[in-house]
Amino acid sequence: MIEILDKKNCCGCTACMQVCPQQCITMAADGEGFTYPSVNMQECIDCHLCEKVCPILNQGQPCEPKGIYAAQSGDEKVLMNSSSGGVFTVLAEKTIEENGVVFGARFNEKWEVVHDYTETKEGLEVFRGSKYVQSNIGNTYKEVKVFLKQNRVVLFSGTPCQIRGLKLFLRKEYDNLLTVDFICHGVPSPKVWRMYLEETIKYWRKKSASYRSVMEIKSVSFRDKCLGWKRFSFSFTFSIIDKHGERKIISSSEPLEKNVFMRGFMSNLFLRPACHECKCREFRSGSDITIADCWGLNKVYPKMDDDKGYSLCIVKNERLLGIISTLNPLPIERDFIHKYNRSCFVSDIMPVNRTRFFELIQEGKLSKLICNYATFPDKSMKTILVKIFNKMGLLPVIKEILGKL
């Protein structure tokens, strides 16, 4: 029987719930908005399958990549609607062309993040772009198994722990399964996301008082490239009915360091407890490929930097090398990942004020609370001095004098 005594020992992948032959495990949300398994003891038959599929109890081994590359989709529309270089879409379209099925995270009608699947290229659009909220997996592991047994090609994308959970759930390798994860910073609370949405809608309704109260969210982007890939923005698009009954579209966009939700996310303020001691880093998920932003490319290969985004492709399955080769990829050294994508190997420490944040969290005061406790952007004296000296053109001189600032 699965039993969670410490919340850091559950990543919320739902593998235990989906594998239970008695269906006696449900996922219940705690006060922070994260779900954990709850077992109906009267129905449990002590088969221990739930324990056998748990990524925390059954940790994978570190994997040595077959190749590491920087790559970019040649489709301009796909590139600009993707968080990095659009490689996920390239892999997904290849799967669809083989009469396959693609699973990924999308927003539902309530703007909650859920896992779903599509069998068409048109359906891939909702899966593009990062979504910094823990997704509701639902019963997608079971759905994957059904498609695999039908000999359909399946691509499943998710966090490293979700991939590890799927692999353990299936309990065998499938040649027709392709798993894609990403370098994960950690997953934010769905509850905090819901509260942020509600506050944002109330703010815009108040600001647009001359309009009728009918307002709908039309789109959300955590990684809008309107200011470029490196300085991405958080953006909303709303539909509002004005006083004449006509529909108006309004948009809101804020740079990373200005948006309240992103400041909290980057401060690790409302990540799942397990993310601070993640058991799936160091390529332990068993995925076929890990994709991420190729941060640092502008410093190492400045001529390649068009500020539209490049994907870092960490390939662990040789059969993917052929697909990646069609994108004119640039080989990358392993040390590059250590330097510019430390989340691949190291979990961020839980903030000392995290517990206090969730104790005080309440409707209508979320944004103020995040601003009080967020540590991003860095306001340390060193950071301030670096910015001042850089503007004055003195930074290179000071670095030369001190060796290292």
Side-chain angles (χ1 to χ4, degrees):
M1 178 191 72
I2 200 80
E3 186 177 13
I4 309 301
L5 300 177
D6 189 327
K7 289 183 177 180
K8 71 180 181 182
N9 292 327
C10 176
C11 62
C13 71
T14 78
C16 58
M17 179 193 75
Q18 296 188 65
V19 81
C20 179
Q22 297 296 103
Q23 299 183 9
C24 65
I25 300 178
T26 56
M27 300 297 290
D30 68 352
E32 297 179 352
F34 297 108
T35 59
Y36 296 86
S38 176
V39 182
N40 182 336
M41 296 301 298
Q42 294 180 337
E43 300 291 335
C44 180
I45 58 175
D46 284 325
C47 65
H48 300 288
L49 284 177
C50 55
E51 297 170 356
K52 293 177 181 178
V53 301
C54 175
I56 304 296
L57 297 177
N58 303 275
Q59 298 174 33
Q61 295 298 315
C63 176
E64 187 64 32
K66 304 295 183 183
I68 305 172
Y69 307 92
Q72 187 183 69
S73 169
D75 187 319
E76 185 75 9
K77 182 179 178 181
V78 167
L79 181 60
M80 297 311 295
N81 288 322
S82 301
S83 295
S84 49
V87 170
F88 163 75
T89 298
V90 174
L91 298 173
E93 288 184 342
K94 179 68 174 176
T95 300
I96 298 296
E97 289 169 2
E98 296 177 1
N99 191 33
V101 185
V102 175
F103 286 78
R106 67 169 179 84
F107 292 111
N108 65 12
E109 64 281 356
K110 296 180 180 179
W111 294 96
E112 301 163 330
V113 181
V114 298
H115 254 69
D116 201 354
Y117 71 85
T118 183
E119 300 175 72
T120 68
K121 288 185 178 181
E122 292 76 19
L124 295 175
E125 184 176 356
V126 295
F127 296 147
R128 293 192 191 108
S130 299
K131 299 168 184 69
Y132 295 133
V133 185
Q134 181 161 35
S135 67
N136 184 341
I137 283 285
N139 288 311
T140 51
Y141 290 174
K142 291 182 178 180
E143 294 170 336
V144 167
K145 192 171 185 178
V146 171
F147 284 124
L148 291 173
K149 288 189 173 182
Q150 293 173 352
N151 292 319
R152 300 282 297 276
V153 178
V154 175
L155 183 153
F156 189 97
S157 63
T159 63
C161 58
Q162 289 172 340
I163 298 299
R164 181 64 181 162
L166 172 63
K167 291 277 190 171
L168 290 167
F169 170 85
L170 294 173
R171 289 186 281 173
K172 61 174 283 188
E173 293 295 328
Y174 288 84
D175 291 336
N176 51 327
L177 174 65
L178 173 65
T179 50
V180 182
D181 64 3
F182 49 88
I183 296 178
C184 182
H185 177 75
V187 290
S189 161
K191 176 179 179 178
V192 172
W193 169 243
R194 174 184 57 78
M195 292 176 67
Y196 172 72
L197 281 182
E198 291 174 355
E199 282 194 14
T200 301
I201 291 175
K202 287 179 181 178
Y203 167 80
W204 277 101
R205 280 179 176 163
K206 185 176 181 180
K207 188 174 182 179
S208 308
S210 61
Y211 295 149
R212 294 183 183 178
S213 60
V214 179
M215 171 181 281
E216 292 181 333
I217 298 175
K218 304 300 291 185
S219 68
V220 176
S221 176
F222 290 89
R223 298 283 303 276
D224 192 298
K225 295 179 179 178
C226 61
L227 297 178
W229 168 54
K230 292 188 290 297
R231 191 168 181 257
F232 57 86
S233 301
F234 183 102
S235 67
F236 275 114
T237 300
F238 297 98
S239 172
I240 293 181
I241 305 297
D242 69 13
K243 59 185 178 181
H244 302 294
E246 296 180 0
R247 187 174 297 276
K248 303 283 187 179
I249 301 296
I250 59 174
S251 297
S252 170
S253 181
E254 292 179 307
L256 167 66
E257 68 276 9
K258 298 291 185 180
N259 180 262
V260 171
F261 184 85
M262 293 303 292
R263 286 184 60 191
F265 169 59
M266 296 299 292
S267 301
N268 307 317
L269 194 55
F270 37 77
L271 301 184
R272 191 180 183 99
C275 298
H276 297 289
E277 296 186 27
C278 179
K279 308 301 182 185
C280 294
R281 301 194 193 277
E282 301 181 281
F283 314 124
R284 294 175 183 267
S285 69
S287 68
D288 295 296
I289 183 172
T290 297
I291 55 179
D293 291 282
C294 197
W295 300 128
L297 188 71
N298 59 313
K299 298 178 182 179
V300 182
Y301 303 101
K303 292 183 179 180
M304 293 184 64
D305 181 28
D306 56 8
D307 207 23
K308 295 180 180 179
Y310 266 84
S311 295
L312 179 65
C313 305
I314 304 166
V315 183
K316 289 156 279 183
N317 188 324
E318 290 183 347
R319 63 190 172 112
L320 287 175
L321 294 175
I323 300 176
I324 299 300
S325 67
T326 64
L327 301 175
N328 298 315
L330 174 72
I332 298 292
E333 297 294 329
R334 186 184 175 96
D335 289 345
F336 184 91
I337 311 176
H338 283 274
K339 187 172 182 180
Y340 295 106
N341 275 287
R342 64 185 296 274
S343 291
C344 186
F345 306 98
V346 181
S347 298
D348 284 298
I349 297 173
M350 184 179 291
V352 294
N353 51 16
R354 182 188 183 280
T355 300
R356 185 61 176 162
F357 169 79
F358 276 107
E359 287 175 348
L360 296 174
I361 194 172
Q362 57 182 298
E363 303 292 339
K365 297 184 179 180
L366 177 70
S367 296
K368 184 177 180 180
L369 200 58
I370 293 176
C371 290
N372 287 343
Y373 287 105
T375 56
F376 178 88
D378 187 1
K379 298 177 182 178
S380 67
M381 183 57 66
K382 175 180 176 179
T383 302
I384 294 172
L385 289 175
V386 167
K387 290 181 178 179
I388 292 174
F389 290 139
N390 188 45
K391 285 184 177 180
M392 295 173 64
L394 298 175
L395 189 57
V397 178
I398 292 175
K399 280 186 175 182
E400 185 176 348
I401 296 174
L402 299 180
K404 182 180 180 181
L405 188 60

